Amino acid sequence: MARLSFPDGFLWGTATSSHQVEGYNVNNDWWQWEQHPGHIHDHSRSGAACDWWNGRAEEDLSLAAQLGQNAHRLSVEWSRLEPACGVYNPAAFERYRRLFQHMRTLGLTPVVTLYHFTLPRWAANIGGWTNPLLVSRFATLAAECARRFGDLVSIWCTVNEPAVLVYNAYAGRVWPPGTGNLLHGLRALRHLLLAHAAAYRAIHEVQPDAQVGIVFNMPLLEPARPHHPLDRQVTFWQDWVFNEAKLRALRAGVFVPPLAFPLQPAPHVQGSCDFVGLNYYGRYLVRFDVTATGDFFGRHVQQPTVSRGHTDWGQIYPEGLTHQLLRLRALGRPLYVTENGVCDNLDVVRPGHIVEHVRAVHRAIQQGADVRGYFHWSLVDNFEWVEGWSARFGLIAVNPFTQERRPKASAEVYAEICRTNRVPA
Ligand code: IFM
Protein backbone atom coordinates (compact mmCIF):
# COMPACT_ATOMS: atom_id res chain seq x y z
CA MET A 1 0.00 0.00 0.00
CA ALA A 2 1.33 3.46 -0.89
CA ARG A 3 2.38 5.49 2.12
CA LEU A 4 2.96 9.15 2.86
CA SER A 5 6.25 9.86 4.63
CA PHE A 6 6.94 12.53 7.22
CA PRO A 7 10.18 14.49 7.65
CA ASP A 8 13.01 12.88 9.63
CA GLY A 9 12.89 13.83 13.29
CA PHE A 10 9.14 14.42 13.24
CA LEU A 11 7.72 14.27 16.77
CA TRP A 12 4.94 11.73 17.26
CA GLY A 13 3.27 11.84 20.63
CA THR A 14 0.24 12.31 22.76
CA ALA A 15 -0.79 15.15 25.07
CA THR A 16 -2.10 15.39 28.62
CA SER A 17 -2.46 18.13 31.24
CA SER A 18 -1.65 18.13 34.94
CA HIS A 19 -5.11 18.47 36.47
CA GLN A 20 -6.64 15.97 34.07
CA VAL A 21 -4.22 13.15 34.93
CA GLU A 22 -2.25 13.80 38.13
CA GLY A 23 -4.89 13.40 40.82
CA TYR A 24 -5.54 15.31 44.04
CA ASN A 25 -4.59 18.77 42.83
CA VAL A 26 -6.43 20.06 45.84
CA ASN A 27 -4.79 23.46 45.87
CA ASN A 28 -6.12 24.80 42.57
CA ASP A 29 -9.26 26.60 41.44
CA TRP A 30 -10.67 23.62 39.51
CA TRP A 31 -10.60 21.34 42.52
CA GLN A 32 -12.67 23.90 44.40
CA TRP A 33 -15.04 24.34 41.46
CA GLU A 34 -15.65 20.59 41.14
CA GLN A 35 -16.91 20.35 44.70
CA HIS A 36 -20.02 22.43 43.90
CA PRO A 37 -23.01 20.31 42.82
CA GLY A 38 -24.01 21.05 39.24
CA HIS A 39 -20.63 22.24 38.01
CA ILE A 40 -19.64 18.87 36.52
CA HIS A 41 -22.27 17.32 34.28
CA ASP A 42 -21.88 13.71 35.31
CA HIS A 43 -21.35 14.71 38.97
CA SER A 44 -17.88 13.16 38.96
CA ARG A 45 -14.69 14.76 40.34
CA SER A 46 -11.09 14.70 39.19
CA GLY A 47 -10.22 12.77 42.39
CA ALA A 48 -7.25 10.48 41.84
CA ALA A 49 -7.54 11.23 38.09
CA CYS A 50 -5.07 8.84 36.35
CA ASP A 51 -2.90 8.70 39.45
CA TRP A 52 0.10 10.18 37.64
CA TRP A 53 1.46 12.08 40.61
CA ASN A 54 1.81 8.86 42.62
CA GLY A 55 3.83 7.12 39.94
CA ARG A 56 1.47 5.91 37.24
CA ALA A 57 2.82 8.63 34.92
CA GLU A 58 5.97 6.56 34.53
CA GLU A 59 3.98 3.42 33.68
CA ASP A 60 1.71 5.15 31.16
CA LEU A 61 4.61 6.91 29.49
CA SER A 62 6.50 3.63 29.24
CA LEU A 63 3.47 2.29 27.40
CA ALA A 64 3.52 5.37 25.13
CA ALA A 65 7.13 4.60 24.24
CA GLN A 66 6.25 0.96 23.55
CA LEU A 67 3.54 2.25 21.23
CA GLY A 68 6.23 3.90 19.12
CA GLN A 69 5.80 7.48 20.36
CA ASN A 70 8.94 9.60 20.61
CA ALA A 71 7.52 12.65 22.45
CA HIS A 72 4.90 13.60 25.00
CA ARG A 73 3.26 16.95 25.74
CA LEU A 74 2.32 17.40 29.40
CA SER A 75 1.85 20.33 31.75
CA VAL A 76 3.27 21.26 35.11
CA GLU A 77 0.83 22.22 37.83
CA TRP A 78 1.35 25.79 39.02
CA SER A 79 -0.45 25.13 42.33
CA ARG A 80 2.05 22.38 43.18
CA LEU A 81 5.14 24.35 42.17
CA GLU A 82 4.08 27.63 43.84
CA PRO A 83 1.47 26.73 46.50
CA ALA A 84 1.62 30.22 48.03
CA CYS A 85 2.48 33.43 46.20
CA GLY A 86 6.28 33.59 45.88
CA VAL A 87 6.85 30.30 47.75
CA TYR A 88 8.13 27.38 45.71
CA ASN A 89 7.85 23.73 46.70
CA PRO A 90 11.18 21.94 46.04
CA ALA A 91 9.56 18.49 46.34
CA ALA A 92 7.19 19.26 43.46
CA PHE A 93 10.06 20.45 41.24
CA GLU A 94 11.90 17.25 42.14
CA ARG A 95 8.90 15.08 41.23
CA TYR A 96 8.72 16.65 37.77
CA ARG A 97 12.48 16.31 37.31
CA ARG A 98 12.22 12.58 37.94
CA LEU A 99 9.42 12.35 35.42
CA PHE A 100 11.32 14.27 32.73
CA GLN A 101 14.41 12.11 33.36
CA HIS A 102 12.27 9.01 32.96
CA MET A 103 10.89 10.37 29.68
CA ARG A 104 14.41 11.04 28.40
CA THR A 105 15.40 7.47 29.29
CA LEU A 106 12.44 6.20 27.30
CA GLY A 107 13.35 8.34 24.29
CA LEU A 108 10.32 10.61 24.75
CA THR A 109 11.01 14.31 24.10
CA PRO A 110 9.16 16.31 26.77
CA VAL A 111 7.08 19.23 25.49
CA VAL A 112 6.05 21.10 28.61
CA THR A 113 3.10 23.45 29.02
CA LEU A 114 3.34 25.94 31.87
CA TYR A 115 -0.31 26.89 32.13
CA HIS A 116 -3.14 24.55 31.17
CA PHE A 117 -6.36 26.03 32.67
CA THR A 118 -5.68 25.60 36.42
CA LEU A 119 -4.63 28.38 38.79
CA PRO A 120 -3.32 28.07 42.34
CA ARG A 121 -6.01 29.15 44.78
CA TRP A 122 -3.98 32.19 45.87
CA ALA A 123 -3.97 33.40 42.24
CA ALA A 124 -7.69 32.68 41.80
CA ASN A 125 -8.45 34.55 45.03
CA ILE A 126 -6.96 37.79 43.68
CA GLY A 127 -9.09 37.75 40.53
CA GLY A 128 -7.29 35.18 38.41
CA TRP A 129 -6.29 36.44 34.98
CA THR A 130 -8.16 39.71 35.42
CA ASN A 131 -5.36 40.72 37.82
CA PRO A 132 -2.25 42.11 36.04
CA LEU A 133 -0.06 40.76 38.87
CA LEU A 134 -0.37 37.32 37.32
CA VAL A 135 1.61 38.45 34.29
CA SER A 136 4.80 38.92 36.31
CA ARG A 137 4.14 35.97 38.64
CA PHE A 138 3.76 33.69 35.63
CA ALA A 139 6.95 34.96 34.00
CA THR A 140 8.86 34.38 37.25
CA LEU A 141 7.54 30.83 37.45
CA ALA A 142 8.50 30.23 33.81
CA ALA A 143 12.07 31.38 34.51
CA GLU A 144 12.21 29.12 37.57
CA CYS A 145 11.09 26.14 35.48
CA ALA A 146 13.69 26.92 32.82
CA ARG A 147 16.35 27.13 35.54
CA ARG A 148 15.39 23.84 37.19
CA PHE A 149 14.36 21.79 34.14
CA GLY A 150 16.31 23.41 31.31
CA ASP A 151 18.79 20.50 31.06
CA LEU A 152 15.87 18.13 30.39
CA VAL A 153 13.27 20.29 28.63
CA SER A 154 13.90 22.49 25.62
CA ILE A 155 10.39 22.85 24.14
CA TRP A 156 8.02 24.99 26.20
CA CYS A 157 4.39 25.92 25.62
CA THR A 158 3.50 28.94 27.72
CA VAL A 159 -0.30 29.18 27.73
CA ASN A 160 -2.77 26.57 26.50
CA GLU A 161 -5.85 27.76 24.57
CA PRO A 162 -6.27 31.29 25.99
CA ALA A 163 -9.50 31.94 24.08
CA VAL A 164 -11.14 28.72 25.27
CA LEU A 165 -10.35 29.60 28.85
CA VAL A 166 -11.64 33.14 28.51
CA TYR A 167 -14.82 32.05 26.72
CA ASN A 168 -15.73 29.46 29.38
CA ALA A 169 -14.34 30.99 32.55
CA TYR A 170 -14.45 34.79 32.33
CA ALA A 171 -16.89 35.73 29.56
CA GLY A 172 -18.80 32.53 30.39
CA ARG A 173 -19.97 30.84 33.58
CA VAL A 174 -19.09 27.18 33.13
CA TRP A 175 -15.46 27.13 34.28
CA PRO A 176 -13.93 28.85 37.31
CA PRO A 177 -14.24 31.67 38.17
CA GLY A 178 -17.41 31.75 36.01
CA THR A 179 -17.83 35.50 36.10
CA GLY A 180 -19.88 35.73 32.89
CA ASN A 181 -18.64 39.20 32.07
CA LEU A 182 -17.39 40.07 28.58
CA LEU A 183 -15.18 42.92 29.79
CA HIS A 184 -13.54 40.62 32.33
CA GLY A 185 -13.02 38.19 29.49
CA LEU A 186 -11.28 40.77 27.31
CA ARG A 187 -9.08 41.85 30.19
CA ALA A 188 -8.18 38.23 31.00
CA LEU A 189 -7.34 37.53 27.36
CA ARG A 190 -5.04 40.51 27.24
CA HIS A 191 -3.26 39.43 30.45
CA LEU A 192 -2.90 35.87 29.20
CA LEU A 193 -1.19 37.08 26.03
CA LEU A 194 1.01 39.47 27.99
CA ALA A 195 1.86 36.64 30.40
CA HIS A 196 2.82 34.48 27.44
CA ALA A 197 5.10 37.22 26.05
CA ALA A 198 6.69 37.87 29.46
CA ALA A 199 7.29 34.13 29.96
CA TYR A 200 8.74 33.87 26.46
CA ARG A 201 11.37 36.47 27.32
CA ALA A 202 11.99 35.15 30.84
CA ILE A 203 12.69 31.62 29.59
CA HIS A 204 15.04 32.88 26.89
CA GLU A 205 17.06 34.83 29.44
CA VAL A 206 17.74 31.62 31.36
CA GLN A 207 17.79 29.21 28.43
CA PRO A 208 18.68 31.05 25.22
CA ASP A 209 18.32 27.98 22.98
CA ALA A 210 14.86 27.00 24.25
CA GLN A 211 11.96 26.75 21.81
CA VAL A 212 9.07 28.67 23.34
CA GLY A 213 5.59 28.89 21.84
CA ILE A 214 1.95 29.38 22.62
CA VAL A 215 -0.93 26.97 21.95
CA PHE A 216 -4.11 28.08 20.19
CA ASN A 217 -7.29 26.09 19.78
CA MET A 218 -8.46 27.10 16.29
CA PRO A 219 -11.71 25.55 15.10
CA LEU A 220 -12.71 26.11 11.50
CA LEU A 221 -15.72 28.45 11.39
CA GLU A 222 -17.73 28.60 8.16
CA PRO A 223 -21.08 30.18 7.26
CA ALA A 224 -23.91 27.63 7.37
CA ARG A 225 -25.36 29.17 4.20
CA PRO A 226 -22.23 30.07 2.22
CA HIS A 227 -23.81 32.97 0.31
CA HIS A 228 -26.01 34.38 3.05
CA PRO A 229 -24.63 37.83 3.99
CA LEU A 230 -25.68 37.62 7.66
CA ASP A 231 -24.23 34.12 8.12
CA ARG A 232 -21.02 35.36 6.54
CA GLN A 233 -20.93 38.41 8.79
CA VAL A 234 -21.43 36.57 12.09
CA THR A 235 -18.92 33.90 11.04
CA PHE A 236 -16.41 36.63 10.35
CA TRP A 237 -16.87 38.11 13.85
CA GLN A 238 -16.72 34.80 15.65
CA ASP A 239 -13.56 33.90 13.79
CA TRP A 240 -12.15 37.34 14.61
CA VAL A 241 -12.69 37.02 18.30
CA PHE A 242 -11.81 33.38 18.67
CA ASN A 243 -9.00 32.90 16.15
CA GLU A 244 -7.77 36.01 14.43
CA ALA A 245 -7.33 38.46 17.34
CA LYS A 246 -4.58 36.33 18.92
CA LEU A 247 -2.77 35.90 15.61
CA ARG A 248 -3.02 39.63 15.05
CA ALA A 249 -1.48 40.27 18.49
CA LEU A 250 1.43 37.96 17.64
CA ARG A 251 1.91 39.44 14.17
CA ALA A 252 1.41 43.13 14.86
CA GLY A 253 1.48 43.62 18.64
CA VAL A 254 -1.97 45.20 18.68
CA PHE A 255 -5.46 44.16 19.48
CA VAL A 256 -7.58 45.63 16.72
CA PRO A 257 -11.39 45.83 16.82
CA PRO A 258 -13.34 44.33 18.40
CA LEU A 259 -10.66 44.00 21.07
CA ALA A 260 -9.23 47.53 20.78
CA PHE A 261 -11.64 49.17 23.15
CA PRO A 262 -11.14 49.39 26.11
CA LEU A 263 -7.76 47.73 25.72
CA GLN A 264 -4.34 49.07 24.89
CA PRO A 265 -1.91 47.88 22.24
CA ALA A 266 0.39 45.01 23.30
CA PRO A 267 3.74 45.59 21.59
CA HIS A 268 5.53 42.93 23.70
CA VAL A 269 3.37 40.22 22.22
CA GLN A 270 4.60 40.87 18.69
CA GLY A 271 6.87 38.09 17.45
CA SER A 272 6.99 36.42 20.88
CA CYS A 273 7.12 32.81 19.73
CA ASP A 274 9.58 30.32 18.29
CA PHE A 275 6.73 28.07 17.22
CA VAL A 276 2.96 27.96 17.36
CA GLY A 277 0.99 25.01 18.71
CA LEU A 278 -2.35 24.27 17.05
CA ASN A 279 -5.10 22.38 18.85
CA TYR A 280 -7.72 21.34 16.32
CA TYR A 281 -10.92 19.42 16.97
CA GLY A 282 -13.40 20.31 14.23
CA ARG A 283 -15.55 22.62 12.17
CA TYR A 284 -18.56 24.74 13.15
CA LEU A 285 -21.17 26.00 10.72
CA VAL A 286 -22.46 29.37 11.85
CA ARG A 287 -25.98 30.61 11.19
CA PHE A 288 -27.27 34.10 11.98
CA ASP A 289 -29.62 34.03 14.96
CA VAL A 290 -30.83 37.24 16.54
CA THR A 291 -31.25 35.48 19.90
CA ALA A 292 -27.59 34.34 20.10
CA THR A 293 -26.53 37.59 21.74
CA GLY A 294 -23.60 36.10 23.68
CA ASP A 295 -22.11 34.62 20.51
CA PHE A 296 -22.13 37.62 18.19
CA PHE A 297 -25.53 36.53 16.85
CA GLY A 298 -24.18 33.29 15.39
CA ARG A 299 -25.52 29.84 16.31
CA HIS A 300 -23.61 26.65 15.53
CA VAL A 301 -25.74 24.29 13.45
CA GLN A 302 -23.28 21.73 11.99
CA GLN A 303 -24.60 18.17 11.84
CA PRO A 304 -23.45 15.64 12.74
CA THR A 305 -21.47 17.15 15.56
CA VAL A 306 -19.42 15.69 18.40
CA SER A 307 -21.05 16.96 21.57
CA ARG A 308 -21.72 15.95 25.12
CA GLY A 309 -23.26 17.85 28.01
CA HIS A 310 -22.01 21.41 27.73
CA THR A 311 -19.23 20.92 25.20
CA ASP A 312 -19.52 20.75 21.43
CA TRP A 313 -16.26 19.89 19.67
CA GLY A 314 -17.81 20.48 16.25
CA GLN A 315 -18.03 18.39 13.13
CA ILE A 316 -15.21 16.01 12.28
CA TYR A 317 -13.54 17.72 9.35
CA PRO A 318 -9.88 16.85 8.65
CA GLU A 319 -9.67 19.44 5.84
CA GLY A 320 -10.02 22.08 8.56
CA LEU A 321 -6.73 20.94 10.09
CA THR A 322 -4.93 21.46 6.78
CA HIS A 323 -6.66 24.84 6.42
CA GLN A 324 -5.63 26.12 9.87
CA LEU A 325 -2.04 24.91 9.51
CA LEU A 326 -1.79 26.77 6.21
CA ARG A 327 -3.29 29.84 7.85
CA LEU A 328 -0.65 29.68 10.61
CA ARG A 329 2.08 29.29 8.01
CA ALA A 330 1.81 33.06 7.48
CA LEU A 331 3.39 33.62 10.92
CA GLY A 332 6.63 32.24 9.50
CA ARG A 333 7.32 29.95 12.46
CA PRO A 334 7.53 26.16 12.87
CA LEU A 335 4.23 24.57 13.84
CA TYR A 336 3.20 21.66 16.02
CA VAL A 337 -0.21 20.05 16.17
CA THR A 338 -0.20 20.12 19.96
CA GLU A 339 -3.65 18.49 20.23
CA ASN A 340 -6.05 16.69 17.94
CA GLY A 341 -8.48 13.99 18.91
CA VAL A 342 -12.09 13.00 19.32
CA CYS A 343 -14.54 12.31 22.11
CA ASP A 344 -15.44 8.74 21.23
CA ASN A 345 -16.24 6.58 24.24
CA LEU A 346 -16.49 3.39 22.17
CA ASP A 347 -13.34 3.93 20.06
CA VAL A 348 -15.32 3.38 16.89
CA VAL A 349 -14.52 6.64 15.12
CA ARG A 350 -11.03 7.25 16.53
CA PRO A 351 -8.98 4.81 14.36
CA GLY A 352 -10.18 6.41 11.10
CA HIS A 353 -10.08 9.87 12.65
CA ILE A 354 -6.37 9.50 13.39
CA VAL A 355 -5.48 8.36 9.88
CA GLU A 356 -7.54 11.12 8.22
CA HIS A 357 -6.09 13.86 10.40
CA VAL A 358 -2.51 12.69 10.02
CA ARG A 359 -3.07 12.74 6.26
CA ALA A 360 -4.40 16.29 6.63
CA VAL A 361 -1.15 17.26 8.36
CA HIS A 362 0.80 15.69 5.52
CA ARG A 363 -1.15 17.75 2.96
CA ALA A 364 -0.30 20.92 4.89
CA ILE A 365 3.40 20.01 4.90
CA GLN A 366 3.27 19.39 1.17
CA GLN A 367 1.79 22.83 0.70
CA GLY A 368 4.58 24.50 2.65
CA ALA A 369 3.59 24.43 6.33
CA ASP A 370 6.63 23.72 8.50
CA VAL A 371 4.96 21.19 10.80
CA ARG A 372 7.40 19.50 13.21
CA GLY A 373 5.17 17.20 15.23
CA TYR A 374 1.72 15.78 15.96
CA PHE A 375 0.36 15.10 19.48
CA HIS A 376 -2.83 13.12 19.77
CA TRP A 377 -5.21 14.10 22.58
CA SER A 378 -4.92 12.03 24.63
CA LEU A 379 -2.70 9.18 25.79
CA VAL A 380 -5.16 8.10 28.49
CA ASP A 381 -8.83 8.69 29.22
CA ASN A 382 -8.86 11.50 31.76
CA PHE A 383 -10.91 14.10 33.62
CA GLU A 384 -12.56 16.14 30.85
CA TRP A 385 -13.32 19.37 32.74
CA VAL A 386 -17.04 20.15 32.86
CA GLU A 387 -17.87 16.76 31.28
CA GLY A 388 -16.05 14.90 34.05
CA TRP A 389 -15.32 11.27 33.19
CA SER A 390 -18.16 10.95 30.67
CA ALA A 391 -16.11 12.14 27.67
CA ARG A 392 -13.33 9.76 26.69
CA PHE A 393 -10.43 10.87 24.48
CA GLY A 394 -7.69 8.35 25.34
CA LEU A 395 -5.81 5.83 23.22
CA ILE A 396 -5.66 3.87 26.46
CA ALA A 397 -8.84 3.29 28.44
CA VAL A 398 -8.63 4.13 32.13
CA ASN A 399 -11.06 3.01 34.78
CA PRO A 400 -10.84 5.84 37.33
CA PHE A 401 -12.17 3.59 40.11
CA THR A 402 -9.74 0.69 39.70
CA GLN A 403 -6.99 2.50 37.73
CA GLU A 404 -7.06 -0.41 35.31
CA ARG A 405 -5.60 0.31 31.82
CA ARG A 406 -6.57 -1.17 28.47
CA PRO A 407 -5.08 -0.02 25.16
CA LYS A 408 -7.82 0.57 22.58
CA ALA A 409 -7.74 -0.43 18.91
CA SER A 410 -6.85 3.15 17.99
CA ALA A 411 -3.62 2.89 20.04
CA GLU A 412 -2.31 0.27 17.60
CA VAL A 413 -3.41 2.31 14.55
CA TYR A 414 -1.50 5.31 15.86
CA ALA A 415 1.49 3.13 16.87
CA GLU A 416 1.88 1.96 13.27
CA ILE A 417 2.10 5.60 12.13
CA CYS A 418 4.58 6.52 14.88
CA ARG A 419 6.83 3.51 14.31
CA THR A 420 7.04 3.93 10.54
CA ASN A 421 6.90 7.75 10.36
CA ARG A 422 4.37 7.20 7.58
CA VAL A 423 0.63 7.01 7.07
CA PRO A 424 -1.25 4.91 4.47
CA ALA A 425 -2.04 7.09 1.44
O1 IFM B 1 -9.31 18.07 27.37
C1 IFM B 1 -9.17 19.22 26.61
C2 IFM B 1 -7.81 19.85 26.84
O2 IFM B 1 -7.61 20.15 28.19
C3 IFM B 1 -7.68 21.13 26.06
N1 IFM B 1 -8.04 20.93 24.67
C4 IFM B 1 -9.25 20.24 24.37
C5 IFM B 1 -9.31 18.92 25.13
C6 IFM B 1 -10.61 18.18 24.80
O3 IFM B 1 -11.71 18.95 25.16
Side-chain angles (χ1 to χ4, degrees), residues 17 20 116-117 160-161 217 279 281 311 313 339 377 382-385 393:
S17 89
Q20 295 178 271
H116 194 121
F117 298 158
N160 181 68
E161 300 184 355
N217 182 318
N279 292 358
Y281 286 85
T311 317
W313 291 273
E339 282 180 35
W377 184 272
N382 56 50
F383 180 73
E384 178 53 36
W385 309 113
F393 280 83

Coordinates of all heavy atoms in Angstrom, one line a residue, residues 17 20 116-117 160-161 217 279 281 311 313 339 377 382-385 393, ligand 1:
S17 N -2.7 16.9 30.4 CA -2.5 18.1 31.2 C -2.5 17.7 32.7 O -3.2 16.7 33.1 CB -3.5 19.2 30.9 OG -4.6 19.1 31.7
Q20 N -5.8 17.0 34.7 CA -6.6 16.0 34.1 C -6.1 14.6 34.4 O -6.8 13.6 34.3 CB -6.8 16.2 32.6 CG -7.5 17.5 32.2 CD -7.7 17.7 30.8 OE1 -6.8 18.4 30.2 NE2 -8.7 17.3 30.1
H116 N -2.1 25.3 31.9 CA -3.1 24.6 31.2 C -4.4 24.6 32.0 O -4.8 23.6 32.7 CB -2.7 23.1 30.9 CG -3.6 22.4 29.9 ND1 -3.1 21.8 28.7 CD2 -4.9 22.1 29.9 CE1 -4.1 21.3 28.1 NE2 -5.2 21.4 28.7
F117 N -5.0 25.8 32.1 CA -6.4 26.0 32.7 C -6.5 26.1 34.2 O -7.5 26.6 34.7 CB -7.4 25.0 32.2 CG -7.7 24.9 30.7 CD1 -8.2 23.8 30.2 CD2 -7.4 26.0 29.9 CE1 -8.5 23.7 28.8 CE2 -7.7 26.0 28.5 CZ -8.2 24.8 28.0
N160 N -1.9 27.4 27.3 CA -2.8 26.6 26.5 C -4.1 27.2 26.2 O -4.8 27.6 27.2 CB -3.0 25.2 27.2 CG -3.8 24.3 26.3 OD1 -3.4 23.8 25.3 ND2 -5.1 24.0 26.8
E161 N -4.5 27.4 25.0 CA -5.9 27.8 24.6 C -6.4 29.0 25.3 O -7.5 28.9 26.0 CB -6.8 26.6 24.7 CG -6.4 25.4 23.9 CD -7.4 24.2 24.0 OE1 -8.4 24.3 24.8 OE2 -7.3 23.2 23.3
N217 N -6.2 27.0 20.3 CA -7.3 26.1 19.8 C -8.0 26.9 18.7 O -8.5 27.9 18.9 CB -8.3 25.8 20.9 CG -9.4 24.8 20.5 OD1 -9.9 25.0 19.4 ND2 -9.7 23.9 21.3
N279 N -4.2 23.4 18.4 CA -5.1 22.4 18.9 C -6.3 22.4 17.9 O -6.9 23.5 17.8 CB -5.6 22.6 20.3 CG -4.4 22.5 21.3 OD1 -3.3 22.1 20.9 ND2 -4.7 22.7 22.5
Y281 N -9.9 20.5 16.7 CA -10.9 19.4 17.0 C -12.0 19.3 15.9 O -12.6 18.3 15.7 CB -11.5 19.6 18.4 CG -10.6 19.2 19.4 CD1 -9.6 20.1 19.9 CD2 -10.5 17.9 19.9 CE1 -8.7 19.7 20.9 CE2 -9.6 17.5 20.8 CZ -8.7 18.4 21.3 OH -7.8 18.0 22.2
T311 N -20.3 20.7 26.2 CA -19.2 20.9 25.2 C -19.6 20.4 23.8 O -20.1 19.2 23.7 CB -17.9 20.3 25.7 OG1 -17.7 20.5 27.1 CG2 -16.7 20.8 24.9
W313 N -17.6 19.8 20.3 CA -16.3 19.9 19.7 C -16.4 20.1 18.2 O -15.4 20.1 17.5 CB -15.4 18.6 20.0 CG -15.0 18.6 21.4 CD1 -13.9 19.1 22.0 CD2 -15.7 17.9 22.5 NE1 -13.8 18.9 23.3 CE2 -14.9 18.1 23.7 CE3 -16.8 17.2 22.6 CZ2 -15.3 17.6 24.9 CZ3 -17.2 16.6 23.8 CH2 -16.4 16.9 25.0
E339 N -2.5 19.3 19.8 CA -3.6 18.5 20.2 C -4.5 18.3 19.0 O -4.8 19.2 18.2 CB -4.5 19.2 21.3 CG -4.0 19.1 22.7 CD -5.0 19.8 23.7 OE1 -6.2 19.7 23.5 OE2 -4.5 20.4 24.6
W377 N -4.5 13.9 21.3 CA -5.2 14.1 22.6 C -6.2 12.9 22.7 O -7.1 12.9 22.0 CB -6.0 15.4 22.7 CG -6.5 15.6 24.1 CD1 -7.8 15.1 24.5 CD2 -5.9 16.2 25.2 NE1 -7.9 15.4 25.8 CE2 -6.8 16.0 26.3 CE3 -4.7 16.8 25.4 CZ2 -6.5 16.5 27.6 CZ3 -4.4 17.3 26.7 CH2 -5.3 17.1 27.7
N382 N -9.2 10.7 30.6 CA -8.9 11.5 31.8 C -10.0 12.4 32.1 O -11.1 12.3 31.5 CB -7.6 12.3 31.5 CG -7.6 13.1 30.3 OD1 -8.5 13.9 30.1 ND2 -6.6 13.0 29.5
F383 N -9.8 13.2 33.1 CA -10.9 14.1 33.6 C -11.1 15.2 32.6 O -10.3 16.1 32.5 CB -10.5 14.6 35.0 CG -11.6 15.5 35.6 CD1 -12.7 15.0 36.1 CD2 -11.4 16.9 35.6 CE1 -13.7 15.8 36.6 CE2 -12.4 17.7 36.2 CZ -13.5 17.2 36.7
E384 N -12.3 15.2 31.9 CA -12.6 16.1 30.8 C -13.4 17.3 31.4 O -14.5 17.6 31.0 CB -13.3 15.4 29.7 CG -13.7 16.3 28.5 CD -12.5 17.1 27.9 OE1 -11.4 16.6 27.8 OE2 -12.8 18.2 27.5
W385 N -12.8 18.1 32.3 CA -13.3 19.4 32.7 C -14.8 19.3 33.1 O -15.2 18.4 33.8 CB -13.0 20.5 31.7 CG -11.6 20.5 31.4 CD1 -11.0 20.2 30.1 CD2 -10.5 20.8 32.2 NE1 -9.6 20.3 30.2 CE2 -9.3 20.7 31.5 CE3 -10.3 21.1 33.6 CZ2 -8.0 20.9 32.0 CZ3 -9.0 21.4 34.1 CH2 -7.9 21.2 33.3
F393 N -11.3 10.5 25.6 CA -10.4 10.9 24.5 C -9.2 10.0 24.4 O -8.4 10.2 23.5 CB -9.9 12.3 24.7 CG -10.9 13.4 24.3 CD1 -11.9 13.8 25.1 CD2 -10.9 14.0 23.0 CE1 -12.8 14.8 24.8 CE2 -11.8 15.0 22.7 CZ -12.7 15.4 23.5
Ligands
IFM1 O1 -9.3 18.1 27.4 C1 -9.2 19.2 26.6 C2 -7.8 19.9 26.8 O2 -7.6 20.1 28.2 C3 -7.7 21.1 26.1 N1 -8.0 20.9 24.7 C4 -9.3 20.2 24.4 C5 -9.3 18.9 25.1 C6 -10.6 18.2 24.8 O3 -11.7 19.0 25.2

